[in-house]
C-alpha cells in the first residue's frame, strides 16, 4: 500500500458537513489554515427583475491579463492570503478556460476602457445557475 500525499486547499460547504470533516481529521497532520464563513446569496426567479445593461459584455481572450490580475486581487481580498507562486499558472489557465468557454462577463469604464467588474457563470441548468468570481475594483464600489 503506497501512501499518496495531496495538498488540501479549500473545503467549502454547509457548516454541518465541513465541521464533521475536520473533526474526523482531528489529531492528524491536517489542520485548517483558515476557517471563515462564506455567504451564499440565493435569488429565486420570481424575485428577479429584468434590466438592460448594454455595456455588460462577454470577456475576450485579449482580456486575460486584466481578468487574471482582478481574479488574483479577489482571491487575496477574500482569503487574506497571497496567491502562492506555484498556483499562478493553474489559476491563470482556469481564468483563460472560463473566458474561452464564454462564461465570463465584464463591464468596462467608458472613459478608460479598463475592466471594472467581472463575473463568471460556473454551472447552470434550466432551473439554476451558479455565479462566481464576482469582483468590482475597489475604486468603483458602491
Amino acid at each position: 500500500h503506497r501512501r499518496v500525499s495531496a495538498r488540501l486547499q479549500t473545503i467549502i460547504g454547509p457548516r454541518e458537513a465541513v465541521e464533521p470533516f475536520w473533526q474526523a481529521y482531528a489529531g492528524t497532520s491536517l489542520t485548517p489554515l483558515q476557517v471563515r464563513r462564506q455567504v451564499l446569496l440565493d435569488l429565486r426567479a420570481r424575485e428577479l427583475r429584468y434590466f438592460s445593461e448594454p455595456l455588460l459584455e462577454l470577456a475576450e481572450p485579449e482580456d486575460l491579463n486584466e481578468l487574471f490580475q482582478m481574479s488574483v486581487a479577489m482571491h487575496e481580498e477574500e482569503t487574506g492570503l497571497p496567491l502562492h507562486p506555484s498556483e499562478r499558472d493553474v489559476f491563470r489557465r482556469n481564468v483563460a478556460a472560463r473566458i474561452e468557454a464564454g462564461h465570463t462577463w465584464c463591464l468596462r469604464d467608458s472613459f478608460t476602457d479598463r475592466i471594472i467588474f467581472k463575473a463568471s457563470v460556473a454551472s447552470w441548468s434550466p432551473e439554476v445557475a451558479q455565479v462566481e468570481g464576482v469582483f468590482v475594483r475597489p475604486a468603483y464600489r458602491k
Side-chain angles (χ1 to χ4, degrees):
H1 176 302
R2 191 178 103 183
R3 185 177 178 129
V4 177
S5 148
R7 184 167 170 232
L8 183 62
Q9 295 194 9
T10 305
I11 299 174
I12 298 173
R15 177 176 285 182
E16 314 79 59
V18 174
E19 285 181 356
F21 172 86
W22 282 117
Q23 289 171 2
Y25 282 92
T28 69
S29 62
L30 287 179
T31 57
L33 177 62
Q34 183 182 73
V35 175
R36 65 183 173 83
R37 296 182 59 88
Q38 183 176 26
V39 177
L40 173 65
L41 303 175
D42 180 3
L43 184 63
R44 305 293 172 158
R46 66 182 169 277
E47 299 165 342
L48 290 174
R49 293 176 304 151
Y50 176 79
F51 68 94
S52 165
E53 178 47 78
L55 301 178
L56 192 64
E57 60 188 48
L58 271 174
E60 298 289 337
E62 57 268 16
D63 298 322
L64 176 59
N65 288 335
E66 194 171 1
L67 290 170
F68 171 69
Q69 292 303 324
M70 290 176 75
S71 296
V72 169
M74 181 184 71
H75 166 80
E76 292 177 352
E77 185 177 307
E78 286 182 350
T79 65
L81 301 169
L83 184 64
H84 193 276
S86 67
E87 298 171 328
R88 290 183 74 80
D89 288 340
V90 171
F91 203 85
R92 185 180 183 85
R93 284 195 301 271
N94 287 337
V95 172
R98 283 189 225 95
I99 294 169
E100 296 278 332
H103 296 175
T104 300
W105 294 83
C106 58
L107 182 68
R108 297 176 191 281
D109 180 298
S110 57
F111 294 107
T112 65
D113 204 38
R114 185 176 186 204
I115 297 173
I116 59 174
F117 163 85
K118 72 171 201 68
S120 296
V121 179
S123 59
W124 61 90
S125 73
E127 292 82 31
V128 66
Q130 178 186 356
V131 179
E132 69 175 10
V134 177
F135 185 76
V136 176
R137 289 189 188 275
Y140 292 87
R141 294 179 185 172
K142 297 189 181 197

